Every structure is written in structure tokens, then in C-alpha cells.
């Protein structure tokens, strides 16, 4: 009976049937329309199709009761023809027969998913409505109106998630008489954050509305001192997105049998959102050359990316961390898993997975970029999902880190998590998956090493607070950041913090234990907000806590960096000296003009300054990262804010710079309002203005957002938003 | 300074240098031969090559002292030009200078691995021999003889494993004067089971000699009642094998930085020994059609497979579980990791990873092969490695399961482990890697389900003892099996066993809790040894523990199966009845003739019988798997058993069957004795004999084994061995 497919015929002797891995593309001939009862050993030889006798019961209609089910299951927003429901909660089906039922009549419903559906694997579920026992989903007759029955069906809270085929089978004396295959009765079954028995149950209603139902959001970027916001359209309810999410699981060849397991689904998702290993959704690119695709900064949301992936079957170019996190968030919320995007500021990226980020300096104290391998990202975005962890000891459920940005050190494949946030906070790094890796991202020590003339390294400073300075996510119901650093870490220096650190070390996370003499001299750098195209001042404070006056021979090095901390261009070196009396502080203000940095920016907007100083036998150093602020787009909305009424939005912008903006590509969208629109300007001259109007017809009500992005060859990261509340 | 390679240039903004992933193919220009001291910020602009002045010290010769180092490091057996040593243990290098050293002279040794070596990552190690501080490896001058120095160098016990390049650098006033790149001073560094600080330390010397140094072994097959042996040549010391193992890590693109971590190396190895995902070593094939490669049964050992993989860069066709385990064992022992091959008899293979293996039966009690998805392998082979587990809580080090047979349920990729054997025994399934999967292989319950006419399943029997009946490995120093079932499981029914089961369930391993009424009727099947081509008798015992006489209507079904439990051909159905008085046993002997099964065998040798019976409301069933025994090859050795003396071996065989053996392919090898030789006979007629003689010259002394295999289209699994002790 084996039906080997192309890839699996060397496995004939391993599987009785190929393991089904596709949900969307399965053959249509599940059953014979009439299935003779199969009681004997030789049934294979018996003819299987058999005409039913004329007097028997016949099914006239099957109604999936969308108007009733959708609001009950919080699935009205999905722009899709078929019923979408959440598991563990009853939904209704109205079946109309050819005549009223009599006590001798018997029938059952059958729900099938994937090829070769099997009752022992939950991919073929028989639902009965009388005393006769059925499968694991329960059924009851709620109402009888003549020949029409309203049936209540409750899938188990651990049912397979995906697209099921629905059949009604009438029991006759000799066999089962089934309805024909009817795609309009196909039904999507999702994870259910409202169901206490579901692994993704989230008790708080406001949180469910945010983390499952909110189809737009804000992702934080920049640095701790200068946090910026990027609006992102998740769009999980837009047309084609639910099928796209199932397509992703199909493309991953994840067995249908495993798709009810939230842990396996999110782990697989973290692998599939990036293209490495598996031709997943998005190609990572940190090169500054995006000519073979679209710049990561040019996307307004996930919808266009996911639809392009489904339509072409080819990974989409290009993403960086917030794009991976945004698309992954759509995938998760669309399937019903509570999810949010997280930003970790000063995120360590270590190649060996220990707790040391090594920054190497030359004998004269300047950065040795050639020998430095580790980097600290200005920020890094990942996702959290909310779920129980039955595979771990008690107390480690709740929020879990998953990360789809391709990170080569995560267990050798490009995926990460789910890693329990509580386990990270407690230093319990002995559990799956990848908790040690995430722990290092928020807890690494920064080791400043001096490389001597012979190539030997000696540590001269350890900064235990720089990495993981703050962990942010969007607040429930608003757009302000919620600081959740305390979810990941105990306060620096607390007893609990020490306990976590020593536990992490027990589990093999190598820490630095260099014995460094107490430094009497220190330096810090600060700066105000810095606008792109304007001069900036660095305030450098030298502190002398010793009893001798010190003369510091200092050096300022300025570079343009990627947000990953890697140097793009070096543009400035400046020597200076300062004498600091005993127990005093001495301030130096160092000016950098726009002229100095502008020509070195490329498309980056991030400046990196290092001050190093030598005073007798003492070395000091400090680092300051400055994100240059860009101008905004202005969005103006007009018209009656009501579902199905035409409205208008105008995007306007004036070039404030003294140079023209070239190849300006604008994109705009709003989940539930309009799909992606784009506009192109070959150049926007200095001081010139543009104005772009689009009309749209809102599909969904409630508070909604439009987001627009402008991406030029010589200026990225210009965006704007407009909020509007649509009435029903 | 970034040197992007083809695959990584979209990562320019992520890495200061590409992460090195290749050990064997790196550029030769590590250093300028003269490196000017680099003290300043602008050093990039300074010329780097500079002629040394004529009077200075020069290195004349670097001797890696193979004759002394190899015996000390237990690496004499490696058939390789270069020095091979184990980490954490001192090795000697003799450096001869142009003149005796004076107190002002200074020099250092430098060991480099991979591209872009970095002192902070352990891939560039500076070793100093005076008061000046160096890198992490310690150095001392052991002996000075004029201009010649014997240096002792001790790599750290966690050093990177692989092939290092060696340089000697003399310190001059203005810079470092280095030796030229010299491939003959390249040095292989291995894991060290003899070093207490190494993660793979194994205290017992006899075990180290078996699990690291023994280059041949025995793999157990068949079934618990009829265990068979297959000799396997690991050949980890044969020419080209050490480079092949490093090539595998290179092909996996495993970062050089991670190659000192035993956990990461064995996990990566488990992924790379199979070809899925990563174009690894071996293609799995359970189809019975091996025409596109070599049959899994035709290999004599790992050497030919590994050399073919390295030479072609393409996965080798074909393997089944014992081939994967044999090749993986070679990889592990070759790199110095203590390893052994394990056989688990009646190994569960479940598609959903729970603890239920569902066998489905039709309403009349016969097996429903169409609806049964799970299978129980007659046996399954994996490997164990011995190592500490710093990433886990205390007590979980020691033997760890790793499995390179492609198993699709292991975390979505084709790899498995390391999973702590102790954690499996204790049910502590909350730790990495894949312990739940291995737990199910040895602990699944077999659920017998009846599928009713409506498609609904009802359990009627649960067998909690069938799976994981015995776990065997070769005993240290012998060829008899060592039963290590107790390492994996507490005795069935003990208090500890219950504790393990309930822990496993807490960690999400779903068990069966069907409430089944106590069966009063039971059936068992037994059989003696069965030779291929002869009739066999099944002894079927029906036991009635009730107070009523029962008449059982019974059915015997006979099939040929793959060793994976999957049916190849069904050949027999027989109905019979038996009346069993109250509290009595009734025996039925059922004969199966050779004629009945021979034409259905194909190349399988495994018969599967199911007896099912119905008596009133009671169902009984029993399963018996019979491995048909094949004839053996006879190996006769002659000549003086001494290293470098010619010897002879004769392989002889007589066809005992009434049919000709077609396309007989013979292969023979012996690690340390001779490499693989093959011979082909187009046919061996009934009762005809063959005799094949080969000469060989032993390379290594000690007790050694020759193994020969014969593989025909219509008869597989014929083999023979000869043991010989070679004197030095």
C-alpha cells in the first residue's frame, strides 16, 4: 500500500506510508464516496464503491456557520473565504439532510488534514453525536429543526493546527455514504490563547488583544540614550497571509503530525523565516549593497514579503534583524500564538558562545579592528512567544525567546529558541533551546584587551554593565516602550544576580575573572540628540580618583558603523591632552562637523567614537555610539473614518538637506486599511517638497495606523505614521 | 581588512572578518616573514616587510620529535606523515638555531589553525619560554644542547582540535623574524581521554584502549532471542582517515572556534555522517533497491566510505543504521573521543515522539497495515560517547547517546544527541539534546488498537515490555556482547522505574493510560533457530486463566519484513481453532515450509508472524520475529604473523542452496593488516565452492582481525572473520 514520493522512495522499508509534510497541496480523493464496511482480512479484494439504496438518508447541505463562529473565535478579521476557528473551543456546523432524522439513523463528521490521514496521529478525526464512541474531538447536537441539525464540535486543545477537510458520513447497513469533497467546507484550526487547556493560553484579555489580535506594532531601534521607533504592519489578517504561514510549514517539510505542538512550530518557524539551510522566507544582508533586492529599511511590514515568498517560492531579498522579527511576529500571531517583538540594546554577538566579548586594542591604546572578532550590536530584535513548557521543570513557562535572524552559533543551524525568559533570568541554562546563547546576548562582559608587540593579549578593563543595557517591547494598547529588562535580569550586583551568574558558570558559560587593579582614572562620553547633517559635540569627562594630578594623552577615533557594531568607514582621528588634578573631574568638548562625517556615511546613520587615554601606567577608554536622527514624512488623513467608506491620505516631505535625494522610493500601507502602495521619485532637490495622495477603503474597524517609508540611495530610514480610528 | 568570500559578502556589516570554517584548505600566507612591531594607530600605512640585520639569530631546523611524542600520546598507529598529539599533555619540539642562545635572545612558538587566526579565539596561540607572558599554552625549555633546544609545550585541555601550523618567531629590536611556512611541521591536536582536565577524560585504561584505540569491533544485529554479530573495521588509524574526519568538519562549515568543544563536535558529527540537510557522508536507503550504489550489507568497514567521501566530495551510497554507527564510531575515535556502537533490540520508531507505538488491527483481528504508521525496528544502532556535560546539572556526564542515522523527528534536523544515558534512565528529559527521543526508543509502550467499521480506534492491549528489550555493546577486550540495558532502564516494575516513568510524563512524554480489563486469555509464540532455506516450526501456546473453557478462533499471518519492522511481502494466512480448558495451556505447532517463504524474501532475511485469536468477547494477539540464519565464509590465515612480513588469507565458501547465487561481490579488509580488497563472481552454482587468496603485509602489531563479506543479489549478509595476533 506504500505510495512513495520522489524524495522518499529510498525509505520504502522504513515507513508504512510516507510521513505527510504538506497541508495545502494534498490529493482530493480522501475516501470513496461510498465505503463498504471492511470487516475481513481480504477486504482489499472486495469492490469498494457501491451504490447506496434509494431510500436512505442523504446530506443536502453543510453550513460552516461563519457568522456565528467567527466572532466567538475572534477570527472575524481574517480576510479569507473559509471558516477559521481556534482549537479547544466549540464551533457550530449546520447539516441539512434529505429528511428529518429517525432514531435508527446514524452519521458522523470527519475532519482530515494532510495526506494519508491517520486516526492514531490526529490527522483524521471522527466526530460522533450519539452513544457510539468517536475520536478525540467531542460532538453534540445543539438543535434540531426538521431535517436540519446544528452540531457543536469541540476540537481538542492539542489538535493539529492547519487546514482541515470536512466530510459528513451517513452510516448505512453496508457501509458509509459520504459527502463529496467540498473546498468551501475546509476549515482552518488555530492555536487558542483564550483556552486554558491550550499550550498557548494567555489569561489576560488586554494582552490577548495585543499579542494575538493587534495587526500593527512598533519596533524599537537606536540606542538606549536615543531610542527610535519603527512602525511595522504585521498584517496577519490580510488576504493570503494565513495560507502563507501554512505554506511556510509545508515548505519546511514539517510533519503534519507535529503541527499541534507549539514548541515545535515556533522552533521550526525560527528556522524558516530566514533563508539559510532551508530556502526560508528572507535573505539576510548586512552589506550596504541591496541592489539585488530591496533594502531592509524599505519595508513597511510583513505582508508584501510573505506574499512574495508564497507567489515565487524563492527567498525574498533582503532583511535585517527587525525585518526577521517583524515577519516572524506575523507568522506567530496569524497561527494564534501570542507573540511580541523585543529589542535588546547593546546586544553581544560572540562567536564562541562564552560570556566574554573581546575588544582588542593596539599597544598605543587605539582600537585594533583587525584583531577584534566579537561585536556588540547597537540593538538586536527577536521575538517572544507565550506558552507552557511541559518539556521543562515547573516555573519555566510563560514568555520564551525565539529568534529568526540567522545566528550561526545557535546549535549549528540558523534558528534559535524557544528559550525560557525565566530560565535566562535564573541562569538555568541547562534546558533546551539555546538559552545559553540568549543569556550571552544580554549578559556578556566586555573585555578590553591590549595586544602587545608579540601578539599576546592582556586584559586591562572589564565592563560588566554595557551589554544588554535595556530590553524593550511595545506596551499593551499603546506605542510607548515597555522596559522588560527585569524579566531577563536581576538588578546588577544583587544577591540574585550573583546567583544567576554563578549558575550560568556552572553550566559552562565561561566568564572573565581577570584580576585588575582598581583604576583611579576613568573617562565617560556623552552627547545630546544629533540631527543628520548637523555638527555634533562630544562631552568627554575625565575623572581622577587618585591623590596625584594626572596628565592624560588622549585620542579620539570616529567611525561610521553598521548597527551590528562593525566599522563601515573610519573618518576621524584627533589627539589631545588634558591634565586632571587629584580627586577632580576635567571636561573636554570635542566638536565633529557635518562635513567631517557626511561623505563617509553611505547609507548608515550611526557614528561610533572611542576615546582612549594614557597617563603614566594607566589606560582609560570609553565608547559612544550616536544615532543620527532623520527627518520624518508627514501623513494627513481625510474622509469619513468608517468601514467601507472611501478615505484619503497625503504623504508630504520637504528635503531639508543641501544635496538632492536620489531614487526616492516611497511605500505605504495600513493593515485593515489598504495594502502596500508605492511611489517613485528619481530625485528630490534641496528644499524641494513632494506630496503624494492615495485613496483607500477601510476593511476593519477600530484604532488603525498607516505607515509610510521613504528609502533613497543616499538617505534611508525616513518614515511617518498616521493614526485613525475607524467606526464599524 | 575584511576578506569576504563568495558566500559571506552580504555579511560585510556583520563580521569584522569572515568566521573561519575550514581547517584543511587555508591560505599559506599567515604572516609576513618579518613583522615590524606595530605600536601605532597608523601602522596600516607603514611597510610591513623589513629585512632583518645580518647578525641576528636564525632558526635552522624545527623537529617535531615524532619518535618521542607519538608513543607518549598513544598516536603511533596513525598512518600519517605529521605529528599527532593529544591536548592537555606536553609534547616536545626541538628547535635548532644558528648559534647558542644568549640571555638577551628572545623567541616564541606560534600555533595557528584556520583562516584569520585570533589569539582571543584560541586559533592563534603564542607560546613563550621565559618570564614574558604568552598565550594559554604553557612552554618550558627542557634541555639545551649548544644551539639546539628541546622545548616542552602543553596545549590547554580545552584547545581547538584539528591541524595546526607551527612557526618559530625570533624577537629582534624592530620586529619578529619568523620561520617560513613548512607543512612538515604541521601538527594534529586531538581530544585526550588520558587527560583528567579534558572533557572526554576516561579514567579506566582498558576502556581507553577499547573505546579510543581499538580499530575494529563487532556490531550486534538480529533480535533478542537470536543475536547475530557483524564485524566492522573502524580503521581510524588508516591512511587518510584523520584528514577525512577534519574534512567532514570543514564540509559542515563548523566554525574553527568551536572545534575544541566535544559536545558541539559530536553533535555536528551526528548531523554530518548522514547526507540529509548538509551533503554529509552517507545516503540512507531502506528500499531494497541498491542499484545506484552499494548495498548497506556489502561494506566491511568505514575506511572505504570515508575515503570515497573525501575524494569525491559527494555523499556515499548506501547506509543503514549499523553503517551510520560504524562510520560515526570511526570519526569519534579518530578525533580521540571515547566511543562505542550500541544496539537497541526492539527499538520504537514513533512519528510523533510520544511514548505510544500504535499497532492497528482490523475488526476481525488481523493487522491493519494500511492504517499503522508506527514501527518497531528489530534492532537499531547508535553510538555512545564518553564526556563530561558542563552544560547540564551534576551527575549527567559519562556516556551520552549520539545517533547519526537520519531520524526525522529529532528536532527537525537529521541528527541526534548528545543525550545523557543517565538522564534517560532517570527520566530527566528536560535537558539537551534529544533525550526524549532516545527515551521513547527504549521505553515506548506498544498499544494494540482495534479499528472499528466507522474508523474509530479502541485499544485492546498494551505491552509495556516489548520495546527496548535489551541494549548491547561489545565488551571491552573481547567480542562477546555486554548487556547495558541497566544503564538505560531500572528493572521493569521497580520503584525507580515508576519514578522515571512519571518524571518522563511530567516532561511531556505522553503515555497510554487505557483502562483495560484483565485478560484471562493470552497467547505466546516461540521458535528455535531457523536456517535460511529450511522449514520452521512456530510453537503457539494459548493460556486460559479463567474458569470457563474457551474456544479460540485464531489466525496466523506471515510476512517478510525489513529490519525496520515494515512489511516487504505478505506470504501466509492460516486459520485454525483451539479449545483451551479452564486454567489450562494448549499448544499448537504451526509449520512453515521453505517453499512458502523463499520466493518472497527478496534480499530480506526476516520473517514476521502474528497470531490473533477471538474467543467470545476476548481478543488475543502475539508477534514473533524470526531472523533466518545464513551460512558463513571461512577465512584461513597463513604466514609469519609479524609486522612487515608477508602473510596470506584464503576465503572459501560452498553454496549450500539449491539455487545459484548471482552477482556475488566479496570484500575483505583488516585494519592495520590490509586495505579493502574485492572479488566478483557472476554466479556460484548450487553446491559449488569458491576459494579466494590474497597476500598482505601487517602494518600494526597486536591482536587483529580480518573480516570478509559476500553480497549477492539473492543473498545478503554472508560474512566471516579470522583473528590473528601480529608480533612487533
Amino acid at each position: 500500500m506504500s505510495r512513495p514520493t520522489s524524495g522518499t522512495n529510498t525509505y520504502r522499508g522504513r515507513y508504512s506510508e510516507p510521513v505527510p509534510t504538506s497541508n495545502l497541496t494534498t490529493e482530493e480523493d480522501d475516501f470513496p464516496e461510498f465505503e463498504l464496511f471492511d470487516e475481513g482480512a481480504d477486504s482489499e479484494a472486495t469492490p469498494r464503491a457501491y451504490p447506496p439504496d434509494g431510500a436512505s438518508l442523504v446530506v443536502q447541505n453543510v453550513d460552516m456557520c461563519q457568522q456565528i463562529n467567527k466572532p466567538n473565535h475572534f477570527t472575524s478579521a481574517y480576510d479569507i473565504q473559509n471558516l477559521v476557528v481556534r482549537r479547544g473551543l466549540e464551533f457550530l456546523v449546520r447539516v441539512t439532510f434529505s429528511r428529518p432524522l429517525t432514531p435508527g439513523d446514524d452519521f458522523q463528521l470527519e475532519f482530515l488534514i494532510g495526506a494519508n490521514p491517520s486516526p492514531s496521529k490526529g490527522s483524521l478525526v471522527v466526530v460522533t453525536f450519539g452513544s457510539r464512541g468517536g475520536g478525540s474531538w467531542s460532538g453534540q447536537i445543539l438543535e434540531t429543526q426538521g431535517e436540519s441539525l446544528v452540531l457543536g464540535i469541540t476540537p481538542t486543545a492539542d489538535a493539529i493546527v492547519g487546514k482541515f477537510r470536512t466530510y459528513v458520513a451517513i452510516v448505512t447497513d453496508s457501509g458509509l455514504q459520504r459527502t463529496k469533497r467540498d473546498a468551501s467546507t475546509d476549515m482552518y484550526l488555530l492555536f487558542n490563547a483564550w483556552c486554558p487547556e491550550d499550550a498557548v493560553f494567555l489569561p489576560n484579555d488586554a494582552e490577548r488583544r495585543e499579542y494575538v489580535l493587534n495587526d500593527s506594532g512598533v519596533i524599537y531601534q537606536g540606542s538606549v540614550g536615543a531610542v527610535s521607533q519603527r512602525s511595522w504592519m504585521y498584517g496577519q489578517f490580510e488576504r493570503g497571509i494565513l495560507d502563507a504561514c501554512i505554506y511556510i510549514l509545508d515548505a519546511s517539510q514539517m510533519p503534519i503530525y507535529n503541527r499541534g505542538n507549539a514548541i515545535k512550530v515556533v522552533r521550526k518557524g525560527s528556522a524558516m523565516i530566514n533563508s539559510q539551510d532551508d530556502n526560508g522566507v528572507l535573505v539576510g544582508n548586512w552589506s550596504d549593497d541591496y541592489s539585488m533586492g530591496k533594502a531592509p529599511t524599505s519595508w513597511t511590514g510583513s505582508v508584501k514579503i510573505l506574499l512574495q515568498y508564497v507567489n515565487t517560492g524563492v527567498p525574498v531579498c533582503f532583511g535585517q534583524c527587525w525585518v526577521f522579527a517583524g515577519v516572524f511576529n506575523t507568522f506567530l500571531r496569524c497561527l494564534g500564538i501570542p507573540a511580541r517583538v523585543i529589542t535588546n540594546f547593546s546586544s553581544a554577538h560572540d562567536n564562541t558562545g562564552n560570556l566574554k566579548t573581546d575588544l582588542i586594542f593596539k599597544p598605543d591604546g587605539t582600537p585594533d579592528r583587525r584583531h577584534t572578532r566579537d561585536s556588540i550590536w547597537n540593538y538586536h530584535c527577536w521575538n517572544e512567544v507565550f506558552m507552557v513548557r511541559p518539556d521543562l521543570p515547573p516555573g519555566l513557562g510563560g514568555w520564551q525567546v525565539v529568534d529568526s535572524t540567522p545566528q550561526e552559533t545557535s546549535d549549528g543551524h540558523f534558528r534559535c529558541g524557544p528559550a525560557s525568559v525565566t530560565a535566562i533570568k535564573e541562569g538555568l541554562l541547562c534546558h533546551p533551546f539555546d538559552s545559553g546563547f540568549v543569556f550571552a546576548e544580554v549578559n556578556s562582559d566586555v573585555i578590553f584587551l591590549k595586544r602587545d608587540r608579540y601578539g599576546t593579549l592582556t586584559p586591562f578593563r572589564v565592563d560588566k554593565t554595557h551589554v544588554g543595557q535595556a530590553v524593550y517591547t511595545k506596551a499593551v494598547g499603546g506605542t510607548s516602550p515597555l522596559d522588560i529588562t527585569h524579566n531577563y535580569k536581576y538588578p546588577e550586583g544583587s544577591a540574585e544576580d550573583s546567583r544567576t551568574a554563578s549558575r550560568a558558570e556552572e553550566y559552562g558559560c565561561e566568564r572573565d575573572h581577570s584580576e585588575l587593579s582598581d583604576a583611579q582614572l576613568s573617562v565617560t562620553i556623552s552627547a545630546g540628540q544629533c540631527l543628520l547633517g548637523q555638527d555634533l559635540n562630544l562631552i568627554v569627562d575625565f575623572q581622577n580618583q587618585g591623590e596625584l594630578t594626572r596628565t592624560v594623552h588622549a585620542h579620539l577615533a570616529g567611525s561610521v558603523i553598521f548597527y551590528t557594531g562593525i566599522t563601515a568607514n573610519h573618518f576621524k582621528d584627533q589627539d589631545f591632552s588634558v591634565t586632571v588634578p587629584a580627586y577632580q573631574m576635567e571636561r573636554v568638548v570635542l566638536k565633529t562637523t557635518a562635513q567631517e562625517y557626511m561623505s563617509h556615511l553611505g547609507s548608515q546613520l550611526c557614528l561610533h567614537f572611542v576615546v582612549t587615554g594614557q597617563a603614566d601606567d594607566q589606560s582609560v577608554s570609553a565608547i559612544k555610539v550616536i544615532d543620527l536622527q532623520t527627518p520624518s514624512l508627514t501623513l494627513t488623513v481625510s474622509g469619513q473614518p468608517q468601514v467601507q467608506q472611501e478615505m484619503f491620505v497625503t504623504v508630504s516631505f520637504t528635503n531639508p538637506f543641501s544635496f538632492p535625494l536620489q531614487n526616492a522610493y516611497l511605500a505605504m500601507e495600513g493593515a485593515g486599511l489598504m495594502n502596500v502602495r508605492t511611489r517613485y521619485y528619481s530625485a528630490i532637490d534641496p528644499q524641494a517638497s513632494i506630496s503624494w495622495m492615495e485613496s483607500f477603503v477601510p476593511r476593519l474597524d477600530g484604532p488603525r495606523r498607516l505607515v509610510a517609508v521613504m528609502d533613497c540611495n543616499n538617505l534611508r530610514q525616513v518614515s511617518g505614521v498616521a493614526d485613525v480610528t475607524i467606526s464599524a
Side-chain angles (χ1 to χ4, degrees), chain A:
Chain A
M1 291 306 295
S2 126
R3 282 179 289 179
T5 58
S6 63
T8 57
N9 50 17
T10 53
Y11 281 72
R12 185 172 85 84
R14 281 201 58 192
Y15 304 115
S16 52
E17 298 273 347
V19 177
T21 58
S22 178
N23 187 178
L24 296 179
T25 58
T26 52
E27 54 266 75
E28 301 280 302
D29 56 338
D30 286 314
F31 291 118
E33 233 181 294
F34 185 77
E35 182 180 3
L36 195 72
F37 282 136
D38 167 17
E39 318 276 341
D42 309 60
S43 64
E44 311 273 3
T46 318
R48 286 187 159 250
Y50 203 76
D53 71 79
S56 59
L57 195 64
V58 174
V59 175
Q60 303 277 22
N61 188 48
V62 178
D63 173 5
M64 302 304 282
C65 303
Q66 300 221 28
Q67 297 312 314
I68 300 165
N69 288 323
K70 281 178 159 181
N72 284 343
H73 285 256
F74 305 99
T75 58
S76 302
Y78 285 91
D79 189 4
I80 198 165
Q81 298 286 338
N82 291 82
L83 178 63
V84 182
V85 292
R86 298 181 196 272
R87 64 187 193 178
L89 180 65
E90 188 173 68
F91 65 93
L92 311 186
V93 175
R94 179 185 288 270
V95 179
T96 305
F97 294 95
S98 53
R99 58 165 172 77
L101 293 192
T102 63
D105 291 326
D106 189 7
F107 71 98
Q108 62 190 25
L109 263 63
E110 294 164 342
F111 295 91
L112 281 67
I113 184 168
N116 308 318
S118 160
S120 69
K121 299 299 177 193
S123 57
L124 189 169
V125 186
V126 173
V127 184
T128 56
F129 299 88
S131 55
R132 177 163 65 80
S136 53
W137 298 11
S138 64
Q140 58 173 326
I141 298 174
L142 294 173
E143 198 183 323
T144 306
Q145 294 175 321
E147 59 281 342
S148 177
L149 261 59
V150 177
L151 306 171
I153 295 149
T154 308
T156 51
D158 62 355
I160 293 171
V161 163
K163 187 180 182 182
F164 281 81
R165 309 184 288 283
T166 305
Y167 293 89
V168 182
I170 293 169
V171 179
T172 73
D173 289 345
S174 54
L176 295 172
Q177 173 66 44
R178 289 199 174 80
T179 48
K180 284 190 182 146
R181 170 92 172 89
D182 176 2
S184 76
T185 61
D186 286 356
M187 174 197 75
Y188 293 85
L189 191 63
L190 306 182
F191 291 97
N192 191 351
W194 284 260
C195 171
E197 289 76 35
D198 196 301
V200 303
F201 175 61
L202 184 61
N204 183 291
D205 190 59
E207 290 184 349
R208 287 188 298 242
R209 289 180 184 277
E210 179 71 40
Y211 298 134
V212 181
L213 299 182
N214 196 347
D215 54 2
S216 73
V218 166
I219 301 176
Y220 300 99
Q221 301 181 319
S223 55
V224 170
V227 174
S228 58
Q229 293 195 355
R230 170 177 283 268
S231 287
W232 193 265
M233 288 294 142
Y234 300 124
Q236 67 266 34
F237 305 123
E238 299 304 299
R239 183 165 299 181
I241 298 303
L242 178 51
D243 276 334
C245 295
I246 296 175
Y247 173 87
I248 289 168
L249 293 175
D250 283 359
S252 81
Q253 300 198 288
M254 184 182 196
I256 295 285
Y257 308 150
N258 293 337
R259 298 193 191 178
N261 182 320
I263 295 167
K264 290 186 178 178
V265 168
V266 304
R267 185 155 176 77
K268 182 56 80 177
S270 86
M272 281 303 294
I273 299 301
N274 68 70
S275 64
Q276 271 93 338
D277 304 330
D278 45 26
N279 282 311
V281 179
L282 262 172
V283 179
N285 184 334
W286 285 260
S287 75
D288 226 4
D289 174 4
Y290 310 116
S291 53
M292 302 303 287
K294 285 178 52 103
T297 45
S298 71
W299 304 106
T300 47
S302 309
V303 172
K304 196 170 175 182
I305 294 168
L306 287 167
L307 294 181
Q308 181 180 329
Y309 180 64
V310 169
N311 291 333
T312 64
V314 171
V316 177
C317 297
F318 292 105
Q320 290 181 2
C321 70
W322 72 92
V323 188
F324 289 103
V327 173
F328 196 12
N329 218 50
T330 301
F331 170 88
L332 295 163
R333 290 188 181 176
C334 186
L335 294 176
I337 300 168
R340 57 189 187 184
V341 174
I342 305 296
T343 300
N344 177 38
F345 291 102
S346 299
S347 195
H349 183 88
D350 183 291
N351 294 311
T352 44
N354 63 19
L355 288 180
K356 297 190 265 191
T357 298
D358 296 321
L359 303 184
I360 300 173
F361 292 79
K362 294 183 184 175
D364 69 350
T366 58
D368 186 342
R369 285 184 296 279
R370 185 178 159 220
H371 288 96
T372 298
R373 293 285 178 278
D374 297 334
S375 58
I376 301 167
W377 293 32
N378 297 350
Y379 64 91
H380 177 51
C381 298
W382 58 64
N383 302 74
E384 283 181 0
V385 291
F386 195 90
M387 57 178 60
V388 295
R389 287 299 299 268
D391 56 327
L392 304 185
L396 300 180
W399 290 111
Q400 312 285 319
V401 172
V402 284
D403 187 349
S404 62
T405 297
Q407 308 268 18
E408 85 275 38
T409 44
S410 171
D411 196 13
H413 281 91
F414 293 98
R415 59 181 171 169
C416 177
S420 163
V421 172
T422 304
I424 293 162
K425 184 174 186 177
E426 298 293 340
L428 295 168
L429 307 182
C430 55
H431 302 297
F433 298 88
D434 309 309
S435 49
F437 183 76
V438 182
F439 186 85
E441 289 181 307
V442 297
N443 282 309
S444 275
D445 296 334
V446 182
I447 320 292
F448 294 76
L449 297 151
K450 195 161 278 187
R451 182 171 181 275
D452 71 14
R453 58 199 331 212
Y454 312 105
T456 303
L457 302 179
T458 313
F460 67 92
R461 191 181 144 217
V462 176
D463 186 338
K464 294 185 182 290
T465 63
H466 182 73
V467 163
Q469 278 182 60
V471 183
Y472 279 10
T473 190
K474 176 180 143 349
V476 171
T479 60
S480 60
L482 179 70
D483 185 337
I484 56 166
T485 317
H486 61 277
N487 287 1
Y488 285 82
K489 305 203 245 190
Y490 285 105
E492 191 77 31
S494 64
E496 293 87 351
D497 182 46
S498 308
R499 187 185 61 195
T500 294
S502 61
R503 272 199 197 130
E505 204 152 22
E506 278 169 31
Y507 294 129
C509 275
E510 208 186 324
R511 281 196 97 87
D512 182 79
H513 292 285
S514 308
E515 296 283 340
L516 301 177
S517 53
D518 283 347
Q520 294 182 327
L521 204 59
S522 63
V523 60
T524 57
I525 316 177
S526 55
Q529 218 197 25
C530 304
L531 299 178
L532 175 65
Q534 303 202 351
D535 299 347
L536 59 93
N537 285 318
L538 295 180
I539 299 153
V540 184
D541 290 330
F542 291 87
Q543 188 85 39
N544 183 357
Q545 294 180 306
E547 55 189 7
L548 298 172
T549 294
R550 300 278 191 173
T551 296
V552 185
H553 300 284
H555 180 88
L556 171 73
S559 308
V560 176
I561 59 168
F562 295 87
Y563 84 100
T564 58
I566 300 298
T567 302
N569 290 299
H570 187 70
F571 69 86
K572 179 168 186 157
D573 281 294
Q574 179 181 349
D575 289 318
F576 61 101
S577 288
V578 56
T579 300
V580 195
Y583 306 114
Q584 295 290 307
M585 191 267 274
E586 203 65 36
R587 171 166 291 183
V588 181
V589 177
L590 301 170
K591 181 172 185 169
T592 297
T593 65
Q595 215 176 356
E596 285 180 273
Y597 69 77
M598 281 302 282
S599 63
H600 295 88
L601 282 180
S603 64
Q604 303 307 313
L605 289 171
C606 195
L607 304 181
H608 180 264
F609 293 99
V610 185
V611 169
T612 51
Q614 296 275 118
D616 308 319
D617 61 332
Q618 292 199 40
S619 298
V620 294
S621 66
I623 293 172
K624 179 69 187 174
V625 171
I626 291 173
D627 286 284
L628 298 166
Q629 306 298 306
T630 52
S632 296
L633 303 176
T634 304
L635 275 67
T636 316
V637 176
S638 61
Q640 192 188 340
Q642 191 172 351
V643 168
Q644 299 304 338
Q645 298 291 318
E646 188 174 39
M647 298 185 67
F648 301 91
V649 57
T650 303
V651 181
S652 52
F653 176 77
T654 301
N655 178 0
F657 302 109
S658 56
F659 51 88
L661 298 174
Q662 282 147 354
N663 295 314
Y665 166 88
L666 277 81
M668 171 167 53
E669 71 173 308
L673 297 178
M674 70 165 155
N675 48 23
V676 179
R677 313 281 174 86
T678 60
R679 182 102 176 193
Y680 175 79
Y681 298 89
S682 58
I684 305 172
D685 287 331
Q687 310 310 320
S689 294
I690 58 165
S691 180
W692 166 36
M693 192 173 83
E694 290 281 341
S695 79
F696 62 98
V697 179
R699 184 176 71 83
L700 297 174
D701 63 3
R704 313 229 130 245
R705 172 167 279 200
L706 283 160
V707 56
V709 162
M710 184 174 77
D711 196 70
C712 310
N713 282 6
N714 53 349
L715 181 67
R716 304 203 188 269
Q717 302 180 36
V718 174
S719 65
V721 297
D723 291 311
V724 56
T725 300
I726 307 293
S727 56

